[in-house]
Amino acid sequence: MIRDVVIVGGGTAGWMTATYLKTAFQDRISVTLVESAAVGTIGVGEATFSTIRHFFDYLGLDEREWMPECSGSYKLAIKYDNWRGDGSHFFHPFERLRTSDGFTAAEWNLALGDPTESFDRGSFITPYLCEAERSPRMLDGTLFTASLDGELGRSTLDEQRAQFPYAYHFDAALMARYLTKLGVAQGVRHVVDDVVGVGQDERGWITHVSTRNQGDVTGDLFVDCTGFRGLLINQTLKEKFVSFTDVLPNNRAVALRVPRDMAEHGIAPYTKATAKEAGWIWTIPLYGRIGTGYVYSDEFCEPEEAERTLREFAAPGQDELEANHIRMRIGRNERSWVNNCVAVGLSSGFVEPLESTGIFFIQHAIEQLVKHFPDNTWDQTLIRGYNDKVARVIDGVKEFLVLHYVASPRQDTDYWRETKVRAIPDGLAERLETAAVRLLDESTIYPYYHGFEVYSWITICLGMGLAPKSPRPALAHIDPVRASAELAGIRADAERLVKTLPSAYEYLSTIQPAAEG
């Protein structure tokens, strides 16, 4: 039996792993987490997928309890601003497309929609809610799509059946602190000390980590949550790291924490990605401040220039705010599980945060670790299965992100011109050819699970301007009455909800502690 799990590194990855494993296996395993007091959390504000709900429900955590402690807010979509270079925008929502007569609202909108209106407003409800800064919940706590509400229990990403309409923004450091308290209460042994050495046996398997003040910490299974350093997986076990910078060259970021009076300005219930000369700027509204950062390639922009661009965009006149410069390691390990070591989080793999996949990668890895948890035979079938699942998810997200840049028509700077001649992942070229003729479907997107459904691929293609020149011919032979009613119903539902839902700030202020409310 594998009983002793040692997690090296804290932060969001370490504590998500610790609390999930203790919830799954309880006292049948012991979990020790070793972290240095000198190593901080990289994130200055995290955006997530709607599937994060499975994680919180698995742990039995109520959003009304953890959100106030983590500066939490709602995320209904990502707003892509100026990615076409003409000042326009579109929303990538957490919302599946409605269908009529076997064809999606996006298909019918191409045939029947207003050509002067952005496709997302013709196909989804969410853009209306975002622009009006609406909460997904009424003041009494009920969800606007009540049929999708309710606890999921101990379900996983594999059991995702319906599309939940929102995700979260939260402060990564506060989330790590919240999960630390939970983990310690669950019985996780918390060792705050510097790791100064890693012990291995004659096979090269890890036997222990040595700490500066508290000696050796031994275990059976070691989880590397040491971030981009990859202390165990890369530095100790020498696992090969496969870089993605040939297709995703953004390798740096500079971030700011910007205070904001939410009572005066409100809270936008979406992440914003604003295209800039050498990359893009994220804007993540938390309860009480904005997390913002410029993601760029140092081939096209110097750190000083990036910081200056970010300050002018997000915090003019606030020169006292400290900038956090981050070097990002873009790519993944060839294997994330080697011998008795599993890498989770940044030590496993990372792509730029354009679609908020960092937390999703952690959640997916933890769930797969539980499903592939070993015994003392260390069955290689389990280990290969884990590595295949993790690699395919990261590779699929890589391809989806490259789509954003290739589909964008911008060519106004060297950075954006380079996006049109750079290599692209295998398979994407064929998908791009298809998308120029007809909308993508289940058979023409990346074929393995990677967190993004067909509607996401369609949304990015159409939002960036990669659209078929004409609707599907079949639609001309179908009576459009039902489809027209469906499209009208989208607008009617959206307008009704905008009138009835409270603002995001109004609702979130009701769940804050009384002293702050």
Side-chain angles (χ1 to χ4, degrees), residues 46-175:
E46 296 284 0
T48 59
F49 273 19
S50 64
T51 49
I52 191 66
R53 178 173 175 238
H54 288 275
F55 174 83
F56 288 121
D57 277 11
Y58 195 97
L59 268 61
L61 301 179
D62 188 322
E63 69 176 35
R64 292 167 296 183
E65 297 176 5
W66 70 258
M67 286 181 75
E69 292 202 36
C70 301
S71 299
S73 65
Y74 289 129
K75 173 188 172 182
L76 303 179
I78 299 174
K79 179 182 181 180
Y80 284 91
D81 202 356
N82 205 29
W83 280 71
R84 296 174 72 163
D86 58 3
S88 65
H89 70 267
F90 68 95
F91 288 92
H92 175 196
F94 295 114
E95 182 181 351
R96 288 175 180 162
L97 291 159
R98 300 183 185 187
T99 60
S100 181
D101 290 303
F103 295 91
T104 68
E107 297 275 12
W108 282 111
N109 190 60
L110 287 175
L112 306 174
D114 181 350
T116 66
E117 183 178 62
S118 64
F119 91 94
D120 55 331
R121 288 175 63 87
S123 306
F124 298 110
I125 288 174
T126 303
Y128 296 84
L129 304 185
C130 288
E131 289 170 348
E133 296 191 350
R134 286 302 181 249
S135 163
R137 293 191 178 274
M138 302 294 286
L139 290 176
D140 64 1
T142 57
L143 186 66
F144 76 87
T145 50
S147 62
L148 296 179
D149 211 4
E151 294 183 2
L152 296 171
R154 291 194 178 183
S155 64
T156 66
L157 295 169
D158 288 342
E159 298 159 83
Q160 174 86 356
R161 297 292 177 264
Q163 175 60 71
F164 197 65
Y166 68 80
Y168 304 100
H169 303 128
F170 53 73
D171 183 302
L174 295 179
M175 176 57 70

Side-chain angles (χ1 to χ4, degrees), residues 212-484:
R212 187 179 307 279
N213 299 311
Q214 300 184 52
D216 294 345
V217 179
T218 61
D220 302 314
L221 177 69
F222 290 79
V223 183
D224 187 341
C225 294
T226 62
F228 291 137
R229 290 185 303 151
L231 175 62
L232 304 184
I233 196 78
N234 301 121
Q235 293 186 33
T236 302
L237 297 179
K238 308 301 181 185
E239 179 62 12
K240 179 182 177 182
F241 183 80
V242 181
S243 174
F244 293 169
T245 52
D246 58 331
V247 296
L248 289 173
N250 289 345
N251 59 353
R252 297 197 61 140
V254 55
L256 293 171
R257 298 168 178 256
V258 183
R260 186 175 175 87
D261 185 343
M262 297 305 184
E264 178 182 352
H265 298 288
I267 300 178
Y270 54 85
T271 304
K272 185 163 70 170
T274 305
K276 302 299 287 185
E277 291 76 9
W280 58 276
I281 290 177
W282 80 73
T283 305
I284 297 178
L286 305 177
Y287 194 91
R289 68 172 176 83
I290 299 291
T292 185
Y294 189 8
V295 176
Y296 63 97
S297 167
D298 61 12
E299 181 182 351
F300 297 93
C301 183
E302 295 295 327
E304 296 77 16
E305 179 187 353
E307 181 177 335
R308 183 167 60 252
T309 298
L310 178 62
R311 288 186 182 278
E312 290 172 354
F313 178 84
Q318 296 178 272
D319 294 343
E320 76 283 359
L321 298 179
E322 181 180 357
N324 180 18
H325 287 268
I326 305 163
R327 290 183 181 271
M328 301 185 298
R329 187 179 72 157
I330 305 301
R332 65 167 174 83
N333 292 316
E334 200 164 82
R335 298 171 298 171
S336 286
W337 186 337
V338 179
N339 298 344
N340 62 336
C341 174
V342 180
V344 172
L346 301 180
S347 58
S348 166
F350 185 70
V351 294
E352 59 177 272
L354 184 57
E355 283 284 350
S356 311
T357 48
I359 299 292
F360 166 71
F361 285 160
I362 296 169
Q363 180 185 359
H364 177 261
I366 299 167
E367 289 187 1
Q368 293 305 317
L369 178 55
V370 168
K371 291 177 185 293
H372 294 82
F373 201 81
D375 59 17
N376 55 12
T377 66
W378 297 95
D379 185 346
Q380 292 302 301
T381 303
L382 287 173
I383 295 173
R384 283 195 301 270
Y386 178 90
N387 282 328
D388 286 346
K389 290 271 192 179
V390 169
R392 284 172 173 170
V393 160
I394 299 174
D395 288 349
V397 171
K398 172 186 69 174
E399 184 175 309
F400 184 57
L401 294 192
V402 173
L403 171 68
H404 292 58
Y405 294 97
V406 178
S408 166
R410 284 193 68 155
Q411 298 191 56
D412 54 315
T413 66
D414 288 344
Y415 173 89
W416 288 101
R417 283 187 286 272
E418 176 70 15
T419 65
K420 305 304 174 285
V421 298
R422 188 182 302 125
I424 61 176
D426 293 342
L428 183 57
E430 184 177 347
R431 288 182 244 289
L432 291 167
E433 290 177 5
T434 299
V437 179
R438 61 180 172 87
L439 297 186
L440 298 175
D441 58 24
E442 288 85 355
S443 67
T444 51
I445 66 170
Y446 182 80
Y448 301 105
Y449 176 77
H450 60 294
F452 292 100
E453 300 182 15
V454 174
Y455 79 84
S456 292
W457 287 76
I458 291 174
T459 297
I460 297 304
C461 287
L462 294 180
M464 297 296 181
L466 179 61
K469 292 182 174 60
S470 59
R472 283 182 184 260
L475 300 188
H477 299 285
I478 300 175
D479 186 335
V481 171
R482 284 181 293 273
S484 295

Side-chain angles (χ1 to χ4, degrees), residues 202-216:
E202 65 282 355
R203 302 171 299 167
W205 290 46
I206 297 173
T207 56
H208 65 273
V209 293
S210 300
T211 63
R212 187 179 307 279
N213 299 311
Q214 300 184 52
D216 294 345

